[in-house]
Amino acid sequence: MAGTTLLRRVVSRGASNAPRHDGLSRYRAPGGWRSLAEFAIESDVMLVLPTRPARLSAEALTDRVRGLSAQMIAAENAEKAQGRQVALVVVIQYASNRERQLAESHGDALLALDDRHITTVVTSNAGKIAALNTAFRLAASTVRFVGWVDDDVELGQDTLVRLLREIQHMPAPAAVGAVKVPYRSPHRTSHALARAKAVMPSAMNYPHGCAMIVTADVVRRGIPERYASDDGWVCFQLLDPAADDALWRLHLAPETSVNYVVGGGLRSTLRRLRRQRIGQLLLMADAPPPVSHCYLHQCLLNGVSLLPINLQEVRIDAATLERCLYSWVHVLSTLLLAGELALRGLFRLPLSDIGWGSPRTIDQHVLFVIRRNEK
């Protein structure tokens, strides 16, 4: 036990937990850009869409926001008896003066939609977690549920309605997520990753950050940027190792869907997988041992089979061999990254930043449009 505790501490020191400073943030009002200090979201449901001009053109962002707005209107109409109001906060990040101008131009395009549901924020903060935290700080005490959707996915019909219906019947704190439906891009990496996820669904049995809603108390204080993992952090807050079903506060809502493109180019896919796994390892290192043990066995190792044989039928088949191969890749890559964090912690050379590496969203937007037209 002492050895395990020491290892967890060393792994935890493998990444810096230095706080990041808040950047400049403003929101778009009809009269111009104003300070966020003058604004608050007072609806009882707040949905957040983080993005960057480098990821979505103004046209693609407008198209994505129209789709979300339609889902929000449907959710309001479905819950008219409760007088529910849903607000969408679009957080557009920038990293340079040129990108700031593009971000503001994107905000102008969204204002032209003249949609009361939409608030646009531009901020110099970097990374998805920083964008989410910027929006979370806008939530007034009236906000009961907070959700967020990635800018490279599409919600299935009535998904937002069903997510809200699911979570309103769950005791707080709680989280619900949409069922992920993968699309493959032309990249070979995408096909290999899609196959791996189908054969060995590791860490896919709880809500994912591409489309999820939580009770507001879960994110009232924000998400620590140290972990670079929004859904992972939520999962660790809500896991209940003492319960018969440790995931009872974390539901995947039935009859919901979120369409996403699996992977992209090799380099960006490896960066994204590295970021995801490092976040999981840091969360396990920092969490209480029962929670960490529960996540390891019920989530991270979910679907893993290291033996190339079907024990029930005592035979070897192609499907079992395939799962065994992907399982070994999964376990060994996890151990390698855990070793890297341990060495960094031991020699006091912590990671100062965990890089994000999603595929280019503009390419994914085009793919979704093609798929939509094919239907």
Side-chain angles (χ1 to χ4, degrees), residues 253-320:
E255 298 184 9
T256 62
S257 63
V258 53
N259 304 316
Y260 75 107
V261 177
V262 183
L266 178 61
R267 184 177 299 179
S268 65
T269 299
L270 289 177
R271 281 201 305 266
R272 183 176 60 81
L273 291 174
R274 170 183 166 83
R275 185 263 309 164
Q276 180 185 60
R277 195 59 41 79
I278 286 177
Q280 292 167 336
L281 289 167
L282 290 174
L283 283 162
M284 286 193 293
D286 292 347
V291 176
S292 179
H293 184 270
C294 178
Y295 182 84
L296 174 65
H297 290 277
Q298 296 202 30
C299 299
L300 188 62
L301 296 182
N302 180 51
V304 169
S305 175
L306 298 178
L307 295 177
I309 188 170
N310 188 322
L311 294 179
Q312 292 181 340
E313 302 179 12
V314 194
R315 64 183 177 86
I316 298 176
D317 55 36
T320 307

Side-chain angles (χ1 to χ4, degrees), residues 8-340:
R8 283 158 50 89
R9 288 177 180 173
V10 172
V11 169
S12 179
R13 290 201 300 260
S16 171
N17 58 359
R20 298 182 181 180
H21 300 289
D22 291 336
L24 176 65
S25 302
R26 295 169 296 152
Y27 78 98
R28 185 66 167 94
W33 293 95
R34 297 181 182 176
S35 169
L36 285 187
E38 306 172 9
F39 186 75
I41 297 292
E42 296 181 348
S43 303
D44 52 348
V45 180
M46 181 175 76
L47 193 65
V48 185
L49 174 67
T51 189
R52 283 185 63 175
R55 289 174 56 83
L56 280 179
S57 66
E59 179 184 2
L61 177 60
T62 302
D63 184 60
R64 193 63 48 85
V65 168
R66 280 198 190 100
L68 286 175
S69 180
Q71 294 248 353
M72 291 188 296
I73 293 171
E76 288 182 343
N77 291 338
E79 305 294 341
K80 269 189 175 178
Q82 300 183 26
R84 173 154 296 155
Q85 293 184 332
V86 185
L88 173 63
V89 180
V90 183
V91 183
I92 308 175
Q93 298 180 309
Y94 61 87
S96 65
N97 286 333
R98 169 60 179 160
E99 197 173 17
R100 177 182 61 79
Q101 294 172 358
L102 289 173
E104 292 176 352
S105 177
H106 281 39
D108 293 339
L110 294 181
L111 185 67
L113 293 176
D114 193 25
D115 189 329
R116 64 175 177 83
H117 298 91
I118 303 168
T119 297
T120 304
V121 174
V122 296
T123 177
S124 59
N125 285 328
K128 178 184 177 182
I129 306 299
L132 292 176
N133 286 336
T134 297
F136 295 161
R137 287 191 287 270
L138 299 177
S141 58
T142 55
V143 175
R144 295 178 56 210
F145 305 111
V146 178
W148 54 98
V149 179
D150 282 352
D151 64 355
D152 54 0
V153 302
E154 284 193 346
L155 298 182
Q157 186 174 3
D158 292 332
T159 286
L160 183 58
V161 173
R162 294 183 174 118
L163 288 174
L164 287 171
R165 282 178 179 167
E166 181 81 8
I167 198 168
Q168 72 183 6
H169 294 113
M170 297 173 65
V176 298
V179 177
K180 297 175 72 174
V181 178
Y183 284 145
R184 299 180 182 185
S185 76
H187 296 282
R188 291 182 180 178
T189 311
S190 176
H191 288 253
L193 188 58
R195 184 60 185 168
K197 287 177 177 290
V199 171
M200 190 204 66
S202 167
M204 294 184 67
N205 54 347
Y206 58 86
H208 275 220
C210 57
M212 66 186 298
I213 297 178
V214 302
T215 51
D217 53 332
V218 175
V219 294
R220 191 73 73 184
R221 297 182 180 180
I223 298 175
E225 293 183 44
R226 158 180 169 79
Y227 303 111
S229 175
D230 48 344
D231 46 33
W233 185 83
V234 169
C235 181
F236 271 79
Q237 305 314 299
L238 300 182
L239 273 178
D240 186 358
D244 292 336
D245 177 10
L247 296 163
W248 71 275
R249 292 188 181 275
L250 297 142
H251 288 186
L252 292 175
E255 298 184 9
T256 62
S257 63
V258 53
N259 304 316
Y260 75 107
V261 177
V262 183
L266 178 61
R267 184 177 299 179
S268 65
T269 299
L270 289 177
R271 281 201 305 266
R272 183 176 60 81
L273 291 174
R274 170 183 166 83
R275 185 263 309 164
Q276 180 185 60
R277 195 59 41 79
I278 286 177
Q280 292 167 336
L281 289 167
L282 290 174
L283 283 162
M284 286 193 293
D286 292 347
V291 176
S292 179
H293 184 270
C294 178
Y295 182 84
L296 174 65
H297 290 277
Q298 296 202 30
C299 299
L300 188 62
L301 296 182
N302 180 51
V304 169
S305 175
L306 298 178
L307 295 177
I309 188 170
N310 188 322
L311 294 179
Q312 292 181 340
E313 302 179 12
V314 194
R315 64 183 177 86
I316 298 176
D317 55 36
T320 307
L321 283 172
E322 187 178 25
R323 173 175 288 192
C324 177
L325 173 63
Y326 284 124
S327 295
W328 276 105
V329 171
H330 175 72
V331 170
L332 290 176
S333 62
T334 301
L335 290 174
L336 283 172
L337 287 174
E340 177 190 341

